[in-house]
Amino acid sequence: MAGANLSAQAEGAARYVPEDHDLQSLANAASGCRGCGLYQDATQTVFGHGNGDAPLMLVGEQPGDREDQEGLPFVGPAGRLLARALEDANINPGSTYQTNAVKHFKFNRSGKRRIHQTPRRIEVVACQPWLLAEIEAVQPRVIVCLGATAAKSLLGNSFRITAHRGERLEWPTAITVHLEPEPSVVATLHPSALLRDRSDRRQENYEAFVEDLRRAAAILK
Ligand code: URA
Ligand code: SF4
């Protein structure tokens, strides 16, 4: 079709996901994923990391500039804020598995800087098989979606964080992976949003974020 936007097409990650669902096999396979166009400009796939039996899974949006270079999630500024918030919420980071809805860094170049770009719906959908495979492998009891991209990946495109943040949500029936028991889901802000927050409510917003994390952890008790 004339004018068809090829970049809007993505075959998705499903055909790259191996039968063997242990985390190491998944991570190895994900390093070669070409399920959407984002692998082309990024340095590497940034797969999830942490405790493979974690009761608590934290899902961000996508790796940032530092994560792209180091190959690990949440090692840059947003990760530092997250680490501080976990500490303030009395959550042992060793009890978490941390990953992202999208496994490659999406950015625009501006001189020497690489500026984060929000992934499009088609890229989030393309990458979802990796996230679901990680959830199946780890079998967390609670999943915290950090920000709208993660929340929409699991809870659907019409999900609104502002309407449901901090709530204990049921595992969405639209997602057909085998989980026993099904995890609860809690959605909250993305730590990058708190980093960007220059308003006079910055501290208050940070504390509300910590409170959301505390509520998620309280489900485990
Ligand atoms: N932001 C994310 O969403 N994920 C990371 O891994 C780092 C920053
Ligand atoms: Fe594959 Fe996800 Fe990377 Fe796209 S973003 S190439 S689906 S790993």
Side-chain angles (χ1 to χ4, degrees):
M1 190 176 72
N5 182 357
L6 287 178
S7 67
Q9 294 171 11
E11 62 164 341
R15 80 175 181 88
Y16 298 89
V17 178
E19 286 284 305
D20 190 352
H21 261 37
D22 74 85
L23 284 171
Q24 196 52 54
S25 308
L26 293 174
N28 291 344
S31 68
C33 183
R34 297 183 164 204
C36 76
L38 294 184
Y39 74 91
Q40 291 172 36
D41 295 329
T43 308
Q44 58 190 317
T45 305
V46 179
F47 206 68
H49 184 77
N51 180 347
D53 292 314
L56 191 62
M57 184 181 284
L58 305 173
V59 185
E61 179 187 81
Q62 60 165 340
D65 182 70
R66 289 222 50 97
E67 289 81 12
D68 172 74
Q69 294 174 55
E70 293 191 27
L72 288 169
F74 292 109
V75 291
R80 280 195 293 281
L81 187 143
L82 178 61
R84 179 158 65 91
L86 288 173
E87 195 181 337
D88 289 344
N90 273 321
I91 297 170
N92 173 5
S95 71
T96 70
Y97 179 86
Q98 304 186 6
T99 191
N100 285 297
V102 169
K103 294 340 188 216
H104 276 107
F105 179 36
K106 180 172 184 177
F107 59 92
N108 267 334
R109 281 190 198 280
S110 166
K112 284 190 181 153
R113 293 186 61 207
R114 303 191 300 171
I115 312 293
H116 157 277
Q117 270 195 296
T118 303
R120 298 161 58 185
R121 177 71 186 161
I122 193 167
E123 293 150 347
V124 175
V125 170
C127 213
Q128 195 206 41
W130 293 122
L131 178 59
L132 297 185
E134 287 175 295
I135 293 169
E136 267 192 304
V138 176
Q139 300 269 339
R141 287 180 46 216
V142 178
I143 298 174
V144 179
C145 295
L146 302 167
T149 299
K152 289 178 175 196
S153 178
L154 292 179
L155 299 163
N157 207 26
S158 57
F159 182 81
R160 294 289 173 265
I161 286 190
T162 43
H164 298 290
R165 71 172 286 180
E167 285 176 22
R168 178 180 184 167
L169 305 165
E170 299 290 307
W171 180 250
T173 52
I175 295 185
T176 55
V177 292
H178 181 71
L179 299 166
E180 192 60 52
E182 290 180 338
S184 297
V185 182
V186 174
T188 184
L189 303 183
H190 192 285
S192 296
L194 293 162
L195 283 179
R196 283 193 303 269
D197 186 349
R198 294 276 174 264
S199 74
D200 50 11
R201 298 190 54 181
R202 185 185 167 105
Q203 183 59 24
E204 217 174 301
N205 291 338
Y206 172 77
E207 279 161 18
F209 177 64
V210 171
E211 184 55 33
D212 289 344
L213 294 175
R214 247 190 232 118
R215 277 195 213 165
I219 298 170
L220 301 170
K221 298 218 172 90

